[in-house]
Amino acid sequence: MPGLVVLGAQWGDEGKGRIVDLLAADAQVVARYQGGHNAGHTVVVAGQTLKLHQIPAGITRAGVLCVIGNGAVVEPLSLVAEMDEVARLGFDLGQLRISRAAHLILPYHQALDQAQELSRGAAAIGTTGRGIGPAYADKAAREGLRAEELVHFDSFAAHFRQAAAAKNEMLVRLYGQPALDVEAMLEQLRPVAARLAPHIADTSLLVHQALRKGQRVLFEGAQGTLLDIDHGTYPFVTSSNPVAGGACVGVGVGPSEITRVLGVVKAYTTRVGGGPFPCELSDEVGEHLVRMGAEFGTTTGRRRRCGWLDTVVVRYAARLSGFTGLAVTKLDVLSGLPRLRICTAYRCGGVVTEDWPPVGHSLADCEPIYEELPGWSESLGAVRRWDDLPPTAQRYVGRIEALVGIPVDLVSVGPEREQLIVRRDAWT
Ligand code: IMP
């Protein structure tokens, strides 16, 4: 009964979607455990690009049960639009299940997120504006509406009217924004509720039953470790727990069900939105990474900030989630850079640390300490075997293993499904 968690080891956008897509070939269940439509997973199948925000990346595999867990937040309108797109590309939605306990992102959450960001001025977090923070805030305040309520639309509508009236007060009085039209929002939600209702289930039970049958369950994280609300670069974080422990809470399984944890590491570092980023590059190497890596957000289209690989960050992520293996993605993007750098430690004030900055220091005060390695000029897109990688590329990946202390199971060398080097089975 293997339970494998796949999560991002950096600030999100590590390429988890394509890794989940690959590993889902050997899974019977893929369960998303946190986040909402702030996430964007791109999967390229037979030349078709599928951009997923809420539906687990396993949806491209026939017969795989795809679960949106209770730890996720569900935006009903965009979920239905995403379901339509998935169906249009010929994938089966019959296997999609949404946890009855997943909280809903409603239009007023989105309006509040945007109003709050505006009011933060220079201290803005740079959220995706999708309503994530306000939806999780309502969950914690015990004021949220959950997916299960969509099944009985009349009682949902009563609860919605009450909640929306309170949010309108906030929008108008606190943020000087226009009030939202409550009845118009409800009319938009009515057909959507009917579409989603057949997919709403006790997903913890479904996952439990699968595990008892000895089936393989893949727990899919969104965003990344450094965006974790508890362990990330607070307050420049998202409002959920991408770390592996979030998989237990966010799907409703015990920790003993998790047998493997795969950390997905981009071969360099990117971040979207505000917040500290010690290895950020604003030179021509940063430009190379943006251009060659197509570093623009799947959800918002924003240009990602790029920098050298930071192994302090990845070691920290490995500690928090107990990685058993790593998947290194986008190694091909580094082709053509004559010298490569890897951050091995920070200098924070007078202190040198290979760990997360000590108490009294923040990431914003840390300077990276780099090690330099030779690069390679060959393009890697056609490489499928470890032995066929240029020796300098092998050495780069080998340094990641040594510096993080975790084996690299997979290396991706391009966006297509088959552009991958498998060194070890991540499931076993
Ligand atoms: P929120 O999750 O929309 O509230 O945004 C909070 C922070 O997390 C912002 O810096 C976002 O740019 C970042 N973020 C949210 N989702 C993703 C993602 O899927 N990839 C990368 N960054 C993200």
Side-chain angles (χ1 to χ4, degrees):
M1 41 113 239
L4 166 68
V5 182
V6 178
L7 77 142
Q10 295 151 311
W11 276 280
D13 307 318
E14 294 92 352
K16 295 176 290 294
R18 56 134 38 257
I19 300 294
V20 171
D21 172 61
L22 169 90
L23 296 171
D26 297 315
Q28 284 76 47
V29 182
V30 178
R32 171 84 178 270
Y33 59 86
Q34 43 73 230
H37 63 326
N38 51 344
H41 287 174
T42 307
V43 183
V44 182
V45 188
Q48 295 199 103
T49 300
L50 179 58
K51 290 188 192 257
L52 296 168
H53 298 283
Q54 302 186 75
I55 298 175
I59 201 74
T60 61
R61 304 284 184 179
V64 172
L65 183 72
C66 287
V67 167
I68 301 179
N70 57 279
V73 277
V74 173
E75 203 288 301
L77 301 162
S78 68
L79 177 55
V80 164
E82 199 174 318
M83 286 162 66
D84 288 343
E85 179 62 7
V86 165
R88 194 184 65 78
L89 292 176
F91 302 110
D92 178 23
L93 286 166
Q95 293 286 91
L96 177 66
R97 297 288 179 279
I98 303 159
S99 167
R100 64 195 296 177
H103 276 252
L104 298 174
I105 304 177
L106 294 162
Y108 49 73
H109 290 127
Q110 216 138 311
L112 275 172
D113 189 2
Q114 290 163 17
Q116 287 166 351
E117 275 289 86
L118 259 180
S119 77
R120 289 186 187 114
I125 295 165
T127 72
T128 57
R130 297 291 197 266
I132 305 298
Y136 277 112
D138 274 359
K139 172 178 175 174
R142 293 153 295 176
E143 288 174 356
L145 280 75
R146 309 205 294 180
E148 187 167 23
E149 295 195 46
L150 293 172
V151 174
H152 300 293
F153 196 77
D154 288 345
S155 55
F156 168 84
H159 194 177
F160 179 86
R161 283 193 184 96
Q162 185 192 16
K167 302 302 180 197
N168 267 343
E169 284 281 299
M170 283 175 76
L171 281 169
V172 174
R173 288 177 191 262
L174 211 56
Y175 298 110
Q177 298 291 324
L180 302 173
D181 182 336
V182 179
E183 295 307 316
M185 288 189 284
L186 266 178
E187 280 326 297
Q188 265 191 309
L189 287 164
R190 187 184 295 276
V192 161
R195 277 286 300 282
L196 294 183
H199 295 275
I200 296 169
D202 181 344
T203 52
S204 162
L205 179 64
L206 296 178
V207 172
H208 181 80
Q209 287 167 340
L211 287 163
R212 293 290 75 79
K213 278 191 248 166
Q215 295 187 342
R216 287 179 165 192
V217 178
L218 194 161
F219 298 86
E220 177 181 0
Q223 289 80 47
T225 303
L226 276 287
L227 291 172
D228 187 279
I229 181 115
D230 286 278
H231 302 286
T233 46
Y234 192 91
F236 299 100
V237 292
T238 191
S239 300
S240 61
N241 290 112
V243 295
C248 295
V249 181
V251 175
V253 299
S256 54
E257 308 288 5
I258 310 287
T259 45
R260 310 288 301 172
V261 182
L262 184 71
V264 185
V265 180
K266 200 182 282 192
Y268 47 98
T269 314
T270 62
R271 149 156 237 185
V272 203
F277 181 2
C279 295
E280 184 166 12
L281 292 169
S282 48
D283 59 4
E284 67 282 1
V285 175
E287 270 307 312
H288 171 106
L289 298 175
V290 172
R291 204 178 54 253
M292 302 306 288
E295 293 296 351
F296 295 91
T298 314
T299 302
T300 58
R302 288 182 291 178
R303 186 184 199 274
R304 297 181 184 136
R305 300 156 68 192
C306 291
W308 294 118
L309 179 66
D310 186 337
T311 58
V312 180
V313 159
V314 182
R315 265 196 304 277
Y316 178 58
R319 154 155 70 94
L320 293 168
S321 287
F323 293 160
T324 55
L326 300 177
V328 172
T329 58
K330 291 190 144 182
L331 188 66
D332 53 302
V333 172
L334 299 180
S335 290
L337 293 171
R339 309 284 309 162
L340 302 174
R341 292 176 132 196
I342 297 184
C343 169
T344 57
Y346 297 147
R347 189 170 287 107
C348 311
V351 184
V352 170
T353 177
E354 291 180 359
D355 284 315
W356 199 243
V359 173
H361 296 271
S362 93
L363 201 60
D365 316 323
C366 293
E367 268 175 54
I369 298 175
Y370 287 117
E371 153 178 324
E372 222 172 71
L373 292 167
W376 57 90
S377 54
E378 298 90 326
S379 94
L380 306 184
V383 178
R384 298 290 175 270
R385 292 176 349 126
W386 173 255
D387 291 344
D388 296 336
L389 278 176
T392 45
Q394 288 181 355
R395 190 169 151 200
Y396 184 79
V397 176
R399 278 310 282 154
I400 300 174
E401 281 189 327
L403 288 163
V404 182
I406 305 287
V408 172
D409 296 345
L410 298 162
V411 179
S412 87
V413 290
E416 289 284 342
R417 202 173 237 180
E418 67 280 4
Q419 288 182 296
L420 206 80
I421 298 165
V422 180
R423 296 177 77 198
R424 208 170 65 109
D425 180 9
W427 281 101
T428 52

